Amino acid sequence: MWQFLKWILLSHLLVFTLSSQAMADKLSDAKLLDAKRAYFTGDFEKTDKIIRHMVKQGNAAAQNILGVMYFNGQGVEQDLQEAARLYLLSATQGNAVAQNNLGLLYEDGQGVIQDYQKAAKWYQLAAEQGHAFAQNNLGLLYKRGKGVEQDYQEAGKLYRLAAEQGNANAQYNLGLQHSRGQGVSQDYYQAAKWYRLSAEQGNVFAQNNLGLLNSNGQGVMQNYQEAVRWYRLAAEQGYALAQNNLSIMYWRGKGVTLDYDEAARWFKLASGQGNADAQYNLGVLYRLGQGVTQNHQEAARLYRLAATHGKVIAQNNLGLLYEDGQGVIQDYQEAAKWYQLAAEQGYAFSQNNLGLLYRRGTGVEQDYQEAEKLYRLAAEQHNANAEYNLGLLYRHGQGVKQDFSEAAKWYRLSAEQGYALAQNNLGLLHANGQGVVQNYQEAAKWHQMAAEKGNSLAQYNLGLMFFDGKGVTQNHEEAARLYRLAAEQGLPSAQYALGWMYANGKGVEQDHVRAHMRFSLAANKGNNNAKKWRVSISKKMTPEQITQARNLTTECEERSYKNCD
């Protein structure tokens, strides 16, 4: 971004060089005025003829103009060393514009050996004459600590001097300092003020950042429509960050009508410029089929582009595609590679996902201790999945010494974030008195929370508690209802339990046909108790009833266990 900003500065500088009142005073004679007219009409040959003699006479303004022409290759063959020589001649005579131009060459090492200290020296000389571009450029050096000792306060002071002269880039930089609290107190109101002044002059960086403040309600009243307006102004100038931000507004329907097609259009424009955020976001649209035809291969390609730029969420999601074999050939080693890259950057989801691979030994050699290490890194960032998985290791003594109290601790942290699997397992520990004092009511509470989220294990376990009247008032009808919810998700133990209820007329009307069907559904998934009960119940049924039960079993399986009774 700095390179882009700086050369925007230089393009503005050329206008300043030839059109400011200060230079107009120095170009008072007719020849220099003729040179100015020729330059602006693109007649560089005429400009060259006019100013060559003046350069030999030591005219500082002419030396600077010819230096600009050599820098840009206008009317002459581009020659950065000659540009530097001419700038130096002009700068040593005190020409502030040439001093700034020479500073730019030293900063970038163009036509001269790169030297930040010399860049700072020439910027300083021009800045002391009130040259706004030099004040801004010197401020940037102080901000980055290049050629001078890093000093945010000095940077802020210089930005302000230039900003008060209306320099759009300095106004943006001053706004940025207020936004980040660098060298000044963090003040979003002041940031918005300076961004606005810069944005109104067309500065794309300020337009984008002012959009962010409006979107977040920082320093201004939250206003998504205003955010969209500023994003659009910058996006239409081709600024990729703003194009990405505008896309997000269309994607979420904030400040504009939700429009996936328009979101995809702007993401494509930003992605084409190599913006990693846009590449990732467009990949998500292709994965979900929003605004584009669903295409997992294209999603993988875009994730890879963003991932190679170091975007951690893209690295993680590319790992997921390799793990699941979506859009790419399933490859656990490749999944582990991408998870590892994101995990090393501290991304909690990837740390957890890589931990899962180590626990299962897929794509990597099975290593419970490495899994524990990765889970812990993610858990310490309050990742609910990792907290649950760490609890599992402690419960089973994998990679760590078995410790039900420690398992309960991690389950609870995850459960309190609403993670259903942890809520169910915490309920089991309370029911069994493992790592905690046995408490059926507490067990029922956690099972209830998970059951309401649709967790089939919790629905089944809560059904058991209602059947036995442990922690809740005994209620066979409620037990049957909960078993049915779990059975509809295909849980074999719930199918078996519901079959038993039908066989014995507990909580439901006794029905041998439905009992046989439920026992068959469970038996087909390997439940041995269900196989025994099916044999037993068959002895009480007619051949016609058994045929009916078998037909119901097939139909139920075809309906994915839904609406089977």
Side-chain angles (χ1 to χ4, degrees):
M1 187 176 80
W2 159 238
Q3 289 297 326
F4 181 44
L5 176 61
K6 189 167 57 182
W7 291 113
I8 284 178
L9 268 175
L10 185 58
S11 66
H12 283 290
L13 177 65
L14 299 181
V15 176
F16 181 87
T17 300
L18 295 172
S19 64
S20 72
Q21 184 60 47
M23 289 310 302
D25 292 340
K26 293 184 179 182
L27 299 174
S28 57
D29 64 76
K31 287 186 178 180
L32 219 42
L33 286 173
D34 283 346
K36 172 185 174 181
R37 294 190 189 98
Y39 185 92
F40 276 120
T41 58
D43 191 345
F44 301 122
E45 183 179 353
K46 182 177 178 181
T47 306
D48 182 271
K49 286 180 181 179
I50 294 171
I51 63 172
R52 283 285 178 181
H53 179 67
M54 301 178 73
V55 167
K56 289 178 181 178
Q57 290 181 326
N59 185 287
Q63 290 165 341
N64 180 68
I65 294 169
L66 188 56
V68 170
M69 292 173 68
Y70 271 106
F71 181 85
N72 291 314
Q74 294 169 317
V76 293
E77 186 176 346
Q78 188 180 46
D79 188 334
L80 300 182
Q81 288 181 322
E82 182 63 10
R85 186 185 73 82
L86 289 160
Y87 287 156
L88 179 60
L89 289 173
S90 181
T92 53
Q93 294 188 65
N95 185 291
V97 178
Q99 290 168 342
N100 180 70
N101 286 353
L102 187 55
L104 285 169
L105 294 188
Y106 273 111
E107 187 174 353
D108 284 347
Q110 293 188 308
V112 293
I113 296 172
Q114 189 176 51
D115 189 326
Y116 291 114
Q117 288 182 321
K118 285 185 179 179
K121 165 194 163 182
W122 289 110
Y123 287 152
Q124 181 73 46
L125 288 170
E128 287 172 355
Q129 296 187 63
H131 191 280
F133 286 101
Q135 290 166 340
N136 179 69
N137 289 346
L138 184 57
L140 287 168
L141 291 188
Y142 272 105
K143 177 187 175 182
R144 294 182 295 144
K146 294 288 184 74
V148 291
E149 188 175 344
Q150 190 175 53
D151 188 334
Y152 289 118
Q153 289 182 321
E154 184 65 16
K157 170 186 162 186
L158 287 157
Y159 292 152
R160 187 174 297 276
L161 288 171
E164 288 173 350
Q165 294 186 63
N167 183 281
N169 295 311
Q171 289 166 342
Y172 162 73
N173 287 329
L174 187 55
L176 195 62
Q177 280 202 296
H178 278 291
S179 182
R180 295 176 176 174
Q182 293 178 326
V184 293
S185 59
Q186 189 175 50
D187 187 333
Y188 290 116
Y189 174 81
Q190 284 294 317
K193 166 192 164 182
W194 290 108
Y195 284 155
R196 186 177 299 278
L197 288 170
S198 180
E200 287 171 350
Q201 295 189 63
N203 184 290
V204 294
F205 308 110
Q207 289 169 341
N208 179 68
N209 284 16
L210 188 55
L212 286 170
L213 293 188
N214 275 281
S215 183
N216 297 329
Q218 294 173 311
V220 293
M221 290 288 291
Q222 190 174 53
N223 187 329
Y224 292 125
Q225 289 178 319
E226 189 70 0
V228 167
R229 183 173 80 86
W230 288 112
Y231 288 151
R232 190 182 303 280
L233 285 171
E236 287 174 349
Q237 293 188 66
Y239 187 43
L241 285 178
Q243 290 170 339
N244 180 68
N245 289 337
L246 182 59
S247 298
I248 290 170
M249 302 302 275
Y250 276 109
W251 196 5
R252 297 176 179 170
K254 289 186 175 181
V256 289
T257 302
L258 187 146
D259 189 332
Y260 292 130
D261 290 340
E262 194 67 3
R265 181 174 81 85
W266 285 107
F267 279 143
K268 286 177 181 178
L269 288 172
S271 175
Q273 295 189 63
N275 182 275
D277 290 333
Q279 290 165 342
Y280 165 73
N281 289 333
L282 185 57
V284 173
L285 291 190
Y286 273 105
R287 184 176 63 82
L288 300 175
Q290 295 177 331
V292 292
T293 302
Q294 189 177 49
N295 187 330
H296 290 296
Q297 288 180 318
E298 184 63 8
R301 184 186 74 83
L302 288 158
Y303 285 160
R304 187 182 302 278
L305 288 173
T308 54
H309 285 98
K311 188 164 180 66
V312 293
I313 192 170
Q315 292 169 340
N316 179 73
N317 283 17
L318 185 57
L320 287 171
L321 293 185
Y322 273 108
E323 186 172 355
D324 295 337
Q326 289 187 315
V328 292
I329 296 171
Q330 189 175 51
D331 187 330
Y332 292 116
Q333 288 182 319
E334 194 70 8
K337 164 191 155 183
W338 289 108
Y339 289 151
Q340 181 72 44
L341 287 171
E344 287 172 355
Q345 295 183 67
Y347 192 57
F349 288 100
S350 291
Q351 290 167 339
N352 177 69
N353 291 342
L354 186 57
L356 287 168
L357 294 187
Y358 272 105
R359 184 184 177 198
R360 297 196 303 255
T362 49
V364 291
E365 187 175 345
Q366 189 175 51
D367 188 333
Y368 291 123
Q369 289 181 322
E370 185 65 16
E372 183 272 336
K373 171 186 163 186
L374 287 158
Y375 289 154
R376 190 174 298 278
L377 287 171
E380 288 171 352
Q381 296 183 63
H382 310 293
N383 182 280
N385 291 13
E387 289 168 340
Y388 164 74
N389 287 329
L390 191 54
L392 279 179
L393 293 186
Y394 276 105
R395 182 184 179 187
H396 297 292
Q398 295 174 323
V400 292
K401 183 179 179 181
Q402 189 176 50
D403 187 330
F404 289 112
S405 296
E406 196 69 9
K409 165 192 162 182
W410 289 108
Y411 283 157
R412 186 177 300 277
L413 287 170
S414 179
E416 287 172 349
Q417 293 191 64
Y419 193 56
L421 287 173
Q423 291 170 336
N424 176 68
N425 283 17
L426 184 58
L428 288 172
L429 293 187
H430 278 288
N432 297 325
Q434 294 175 310
V436 291
V437 175
Q438 190 174 51
N439 185 327
Y440 290 120
Q441 289 180 320
E442 191 70 5
K445 179 188 90 172
W446 288 110
H447 286 323
Q448 180 75 42
M449 287 183 183
E452 289 173 354
K453 291 183 174 69
N455 182 274
S456 61
L457 289 171
Q459 290 165 343
Y460 170 71
N461 289 330
L462 186 59
L464 290 175
M465 300 194 81
F466 272 103
F467 185 87
D468 293 331
K470 290 182 176 180
V472 292
T473 301
Q474 189 176 51
N475 186 329
H476 289 158
E477 288 78 10
E478 182 63 9
R481 184 186 75 83
L482 288 160
Y483 290 154
R484 183 171 285 105
L485 288 174
E488 287 179 349
Q489 296 186 63
L491 188 70
S493 53
Q495 302 281 14
Y496 164 71
L498 191 55
W500 191 96
M501 301 287 272
Y502 275 114
N504 292 281
K506 295 284 187 178
V508 293
E509 185 176 343
Q510 189 176 53
D511 187 326
H512 290 166
V513 171
R514 282 182 169 76
H516 189 287
M517 175 191 72
R518 292 293 176 181
F519 289 142
S520 293
L521 291 171
N524 291 347
K525 291 293 184 179
N527 189 295
N528 291 324
N529 286 330
K531 292 177 183 178
K532 294 175 183 177
W533 272 91
R534 183 173 59 185
V535 171
S536 178
I537 201 74
S538 295
K539 294 175 181 178
K540 301 177 183 180
M541 299 170 65
T542 66
E544 292 77 14
Q545 288 176 319
I546 292 174
T547 299
Q548 182 186 4
R550 287 172 177 168
N551 290 337
L552 287 174
T553 300
T554 301
E555 290 171 7
C556 186
E557 288 174 335
E558 290 174 350
R559 288 197 296 269
S560 299
Y561 307 109
K562 302 293 190 296
N563 304 313
C564 295
D565 288 326

